[in-house]
Amino acid sequence: MSRARAVFISFGLAHLYLSTLFCTATRPIRSQVTKFSHHLLSLSNQPYSPLLINTYQRVFFCSKPYSVVELILGHDWCTELENELENSNREWTYGTVIYILRSLDKDPQKASDFFFWVCERTGFRPNFLVYKLILRILAHKESMKRFWIVLMKMKIGGIYIDKETYFEILLQLKRKNLVSDVAALTQVYNSMIQENITDGVVKKVVNVILGSKWGSGVERQLEELKVVFSDCIVTMVLREITKYPSKAARFFHWVNQRPGYKHNSVTYNAFAWTLCGLDENKGFWRVIEEMKGTGHEMDINTYRKISRQLQKHKMMEDAVKLYEYAMDGPYKPSVQDCCCLLRSISVSYNPDLNLVFRVFSKVECTGYTIPKTVYDWIHRSLTSAGRFDKAEKIVNIMRNAGYEPDNITYSQVVFGLCKARRLEEASKMLVKMEESGCSPDVKTWTVLIRGYCVAGEIDEALDFLLKMMEKNLNVDADLLNVLINGFLGQRKIEAAYNFLIEMINKLGLRPLQETYRKLTEKLLEVRKLEEALDLLQLMMKQEYQPWPDPFSHYISKFGTVEDATEFLKALTLKEYPSPSAYAHVFRSFLREGRHSEANDLLNKCPHHIRQDYEICRLFSSKHKNAASF
């Protein structure tokens, strides 16, 4: 019996399986509520403080009942917990279920317990997005039995996996070496493709939309398709036309006027994601307001996708505005989401401190326990912006919250001082650290040494390296990369090479691949082929993949047949490199019109290389024209 069939049969036993799961109840855990003091008021340059929070908001949060997530995380799953959930009289909407599952994604057991409970006991009907999420959560060795139960439940309900989800889960299973599950998933997916008529409907709708400029003709063709639109079909269509936001908008509003169909939270969220591109920013915020006005909320998945997109494109003002919007809704971003946003702001060259305080204001007023990472990113923003006086105030507030300054805290001050070219003060900060009982680690020293390297003070950087080593701290690959970049920034290429070789030979370091590649390029720029070949062999001995491209380019323009031979020898730890490696060098010579060198190299090749089919093709009469390469 095939694995897929066996799993399918097991679906009939799902209820029996679930009924055997027993657990004991524990007391719910109250979430700690950190009250951030009004001291931050003095940190803002604005005439008003975005961190001012009224007493009503604080009291309201403290008096709220436990959230569903807190309730589930605070108990083992059991009958008592189910009864408490049922008695909560909550509305189990699509957005609520998505939010809870996302909050439980690190605990597949509890996520599946909640999923089966909400489906069987409340009448909640999961759509394809909910199914996609729970399948991703369950795609682990320990929870594969439940994964197959959910997948078959999904299939029986006439809902199918899309190609994107299939490949994501397939890759996840392959990484965990779940070979039989990979084969079974492929079998089930292929059967779904044959049964799924939705894909065909979506393709027809998309072809009509993209086939012509939107107008009455397109609308007439869509009507002639006689499609019964659902949130699944509309969402899939929107995803296929994401690159055409204006057409997506016309379709979105047209379909809402069809008899028997009205948009819901699922389609509004899909449409918001469609319009979050750079060219549709105003349209995006109009949709957000429209969604809010119709009583629908942005789910946590959509928030995270859009926020990442905005941060990726450095649209920090919009990212913060979106964060504020989400924090005012029922599906609040997590503290980790807050940290990611603060990080994106702080790593910019000139952080916008007003945006930092706006973000913090929102996370503080929810009453979340504020972890040290949040303080760290605020501190990073202030030190990067050169606001060391206010950074010191943050450190004091951190202390009051129970967090003592550590290497991260001091390293950020060192970084800011180095960025401001206040190098002497930065070096004294390490002394201050030691006096306070916090010994600088390698990362702190690396920040300081990078500052001197960026300033072109490579000799001083090396002095600090020696001081660091005297304190019995080991040089790592990141610090080595910083120093090599310092040498290269001063065009001291040969010195960089000698330093790297010495660090490898004496300390046994394994440089980053990035370090090898950058130094190799610089050596070839100054015609140091022999040294570059040494680095190539070192890379391979340290189990990095060979990197032939810069060598082939250099040899084809400036090298000799002997150079090509040495390169090919260095390209492998075996007796001979592969025929494809030889072919790559031959193509480079022929592309540069150096046919005689290519022929001379061919004559020096071993017999099996000269007889290789691909290489014979290269040297056949019809391929001797360099333009064909």
Side-chain angles (χ1 to χ4, degrees):
M1 181 184 298
S2 71
R3 171 64 184 272
R5 180 172 175 77
V7 172
F8 190 93
I9 292 174
S10 74
F11 174 68
L13 304 176
H15 294 286
L16 178 61
Y17 166 69
L18 292 176
S19 67
T20 64
L21 300 178
F22 295 99
C23 50
T24 57
T26 59
R27 298 290 297 173
I29 299 175
R30 288 183 179 270
S31 64
Q32 289 183 315
V33 180
T34 298
K35 300 295 186 181
F36 195 83
S37 71
H38 64 276
H39 296 301
L40 274 178
L41 185 65
S42 62
L43 300 183
S44 174
N45 288 329
Q46 306 301 318
Y48 62 92
S49 172
L51 299 178
L52 187 59
I53 302 163
N54 62 53
T55 304
Y56 170 76
Q57 288 175 302
R58 295 177 184 274
V59 173
F60 177 70
F61 177 84
C62 295
S63 63
K64 286 177 63 177
Y66 300 128
S67 70
V68 175
V69 174
E70 289 173 327
L71 191 62
I72 294 174
L73 290 176
H75 289 75
D76 291 329
W77 195 272
C78 55
T79 302
E80 180 183 334
L81 174 59
E82 291 181 355
N83 291 338
E84 195 163 348
L85 288 172
E86 288 180 4
N87 294 333
S88 66
N89 295 320
R90 297 179 184 274
E91 183 180 2
W92 301 104
T93 63
Y94 151 80
T96 299
V97 173
I98 285 281
Y99 182 80
I100 294 170
L101 289 175
R102 285 290 299 188
S103 301
L104 301 174
D105 61 1
K106 303 301 182 187
D107 191 336
Q109 180 70 34
K110 284 191 174 181
S112 62
D113 285 336
F114 170 75
F115 174 79
F116 285 112
W117 174 83
V118 79
C119 293
E120 295 172 7
R121 300 284 289 275
T122 72
F124 175 79
R125 298 181 61 184
N127 60 19
F128 72 107
L129 293 175
V130 175
Y131 274 120
K132 283 169 59 174
L133 176 56
I134 187 64
L135 286 175
R136 288 192 185 101
I137 293 172
L138 296 179
H140 296 276
K141 183 177 181 179
E142 299 77 14
S143 53
M144 284 307 298
K145 185 171 183 178
R146 289 193 168 200
F147 171 90
W148 289 109
I149 293 173
V150 171
L151 183 59
M152 293 309 133
K153 178 182 175 69
M154 179 179 179
K155 185 176 181 181
I156 290 171
I159 302 175
Y160 302 97
I161 300 178
D162 61 355
K163 183 167 63 175
E164 177 188 8
T165 306
Y166 165 67
F167 282 116
E168 285 180 6
I169 295 176
L170 193 70
L171 181 61
Q172 195 170 331
L173 297 179
K174 285 181 177 179
R175 285 174 177 167
K176 300 180 185 304
N177 200 30
L178 300 174
V179 179
S180 60
D181 291 293
V182 167
L185 179 63
T186 300
Q187 183 179 344
V188 173
Y189 175 68
N190 289 335
S191 70
M192 284 183 168
I193 291 176
Q194 296 175 0
E195 300 170 10
N196 187 5
I197 61 173
T198 304
D199 280 346
V201 172
V202 170
K203 287 178 182 177
K204 290 179 181 179
V205 173
V206 170
N207 288 339
V208 170
I209 294 172
L210 300 184
S212 308
K213 183 178 179 180
W214 188 279
S216 58
V218 170
E219 293 180 357
R220 183 171 61 254
Q221 291 180 63
L222 289 175
E223 290 172 359
E224 290 172 355
L225 292 177
K226 300 187 182 302
V227 175
V228 179
F229 286 100
S230 64
D231 57 8
C232 177
I233 291 176
V234 171
T235 300
M236 293 175 71
V237 170
L238 289 172
R239 185 175 58 190
E240 293 296 320
I241 59 177
T242 300
K243 294 181 180 179
Y244 309 92
S246 60
K247 288 190 173 185
R250 300 296 293 271
F251 167 72
F252 184 81
H253 291 109
W254 173 82
V255 75
N256 200 42
Q257 299 170 4
R258 308 308 303 155
Y261 178 84
K262 285 296 177 185
H263 287 308
N264 57 22
S265 293
V266 176
T267 52
Y268 266 111
N269 275 272
F271 188 42
W273 165 242
T274 302
L275 294 186
C276 74
L278 291 173
D279 297 332
E280 292 292 328
N281 210 26
K282 292 181 180 178
F284 167 75
W285 287 112
R286 283 198 297 270
V287 171
I288 296 300
E289 290 303 316
E290 181 182 330
M291 177 165 62
K292 185 176 181 180
T294 54
H296 299 299
E297 300 288 349
M298 179 177 289
D299 66 66
I300 193 64
N301 272 353
T302 302
Y303 165 77
R304 286 175 179 163
K305 288 194 299 184
I306 294 176
S307 183
R308 284 195 298 267
Q309 181 82 349
L310 295 174
Q311 292 175 52
K312 177 182 176 182
H313 292 290
K314 308 300 181 185
M315 301 172 65
M316 302 315 303
E317 175 74 33
D318 287 293
V320 171
K321 183 178 178 181
L322 182 70
Y323 180 79
E324 293 170 327
Y325 168 83
M327 289 294 282
D328 287 336
Y331 312 124
K332 292 176 173 51
S334 67
V335 174
Q336 288 71 31
D337 294 317
C338 170
C339 290
C340 288
L341 183 53
L342 286 172
R343 179 185 183 279
S344 294
I345 299 171
S346 68
V347 297
S348 63
Y349 185 78
N350 188 22
D352 188 330
L353 300 182
N354 186 49
L355 295 181
V356 171
F357 291 128
R358 282 172 57 184
V359 172
F360 193 86
S361 173
K362 280 297 179 183
V363 72
E364 196 273 338
C365 73
T366 63
Y368 283 157
T369 297
I370 302 173
K372 183 176 178 295
T373 49
V374 172
Y375 293 104
D376 284 338
W377 288 119
I378 297 173
H379 186 253
R380 164 70 182 261
S381 299
L382 291 166
T383 54
S384 183
R387 308 303 295 269
F388 299 105
D389 53 341
K390 294 182 178 180
E392 184 60 31
K393 291 181 180 180
I394 280 288
V395 172
N396 291 332
I397 295 171
M398 281 173 53
R399 283 195 177 98
N400 293 335
Y403 303 116
E404 286 298 320
D406 56 13
N407 272 287
I408 293 175
T409 313
Y410 286 110
S411 294
Q412 289 176 167
V413 177
V414 172
F415 170 80
L417 289 170
C418 288
K419 181 180 176 182
R421 298 299 176 94
R422 294 161 61 175
L423 300 178
E424 186 176 350
E425 292 177 64
S427 61
K428 290 179 179 178
M429 184 57 62
L430 272 69
V431 177
K432 181 179 179 181
M433 286 180 67
E434 292 182 331
E435 291 174 349
S436 67
C438 181
S439 298
D441 59 13
V442 173
K443 293 187 177 183
T444 309
W445 283 97
T446 299
V447 171
L448 179 64
I449 291 171
R450 179 185 284 113
Y452 276 89
C453 287
V454 170
E457 305 287 349
I458 188 67
D459 291 337
E460 287 79 358
L462 292 173
D463 287 340
F464 281 112
L465 175 67
L466 292 175
K467 291 179 181 178
M468 186 197 86
M469 295 174 69
E470 288 171 358
K471 295 181 179 293
N472 296 320
L473 291 172
N474 296 324
V475 181
D476 62 13
D478 288 324
L479 178 51
L480 180 58
N481 188 56
V482 165
L483 288 161
I484 294 299
N485 286 337
F487 280 112
L488 296 180
Q490 298 295 302
R491 297 296 297 171
K492 297 179 178 180
I493 299 171
E494 191 169 357
Y497 167 79
N498 292 330
F499 180 75
L500 182 73
I501 297 298
E502 183 179 2
M503 298 300 280
I504 293 173
N505 291 338
K506 292 187 176 180
L507 300 181
L509 290 181
R510 185 175 187 264
L512 300 174
Q513 192 169 25
E514 171 194 344
T515 307
Y516 274 124
R517 290 191 171 193
K518 189 176 295 183
L519 183 53
T520 297
E521 287 182 335
K522 295 299 181 182
L523 286 168
L524 291 175
E525 283 180 11
V526 294
R527 309 290 181 89
K528 295 285 185 181
L529 177 62
E530 182 179 350
E531 289 82 353
L533 289 173
D534 287 343
L535 292 187
L536 177 61
Q537 289 188 309
L538 281 171
M539 283 183 68
M540 296 174 63
K541 286 179 181 178
Q542 294 184 333
E543 299 182 348
Y544 286 120
Q545 286 293 322
W547 189 43
D549 291 349
F551 291 96
S552 299
H553 179 73
Y554 172 84
I555 291 171
S556 67
K557 287 182 175 295
F558 312 112
T560 64
V561 174
E562 289 72 23
D563 291 336
T565 302
E566 290 300 314
F567 164 60
L568 288 165
K569 286 181 182 178
L571 201 55
T572 181
L573 299 176
K574 301 177 182 179
E575 187 174 0
Y576 298 108
S578 65
S580 62
Y582 280 93
H584 188 65
V585 175
F586 287 133
R587 287 193 188 94
S588 298
F589 271 132
L590 293 169
R591 195 179 293 117
E592 294 295 328
R594 300 180 67 184
H595 297 276
S596 61
E597 286 84 352
N599 280 292
D600 289 344
L601 179 61
L602 181 65
N603 292 333
K604 292 186 175 185
C605 288
H607 178 76
H608 75 279
I609 296 297
R610 294 200 300 272
Q611 296 301 313
D612 182 78
Y613 173 75
E614 182 63 25
I615 291 174
C616 289
R617 282 184 67 248
L618 287 174
F619 285 90
S620 65
S621 58
K622 65 178 181 178
H623 286 281
K624 283 187 178 180
N625 186 340
S628 66
F629 299 97

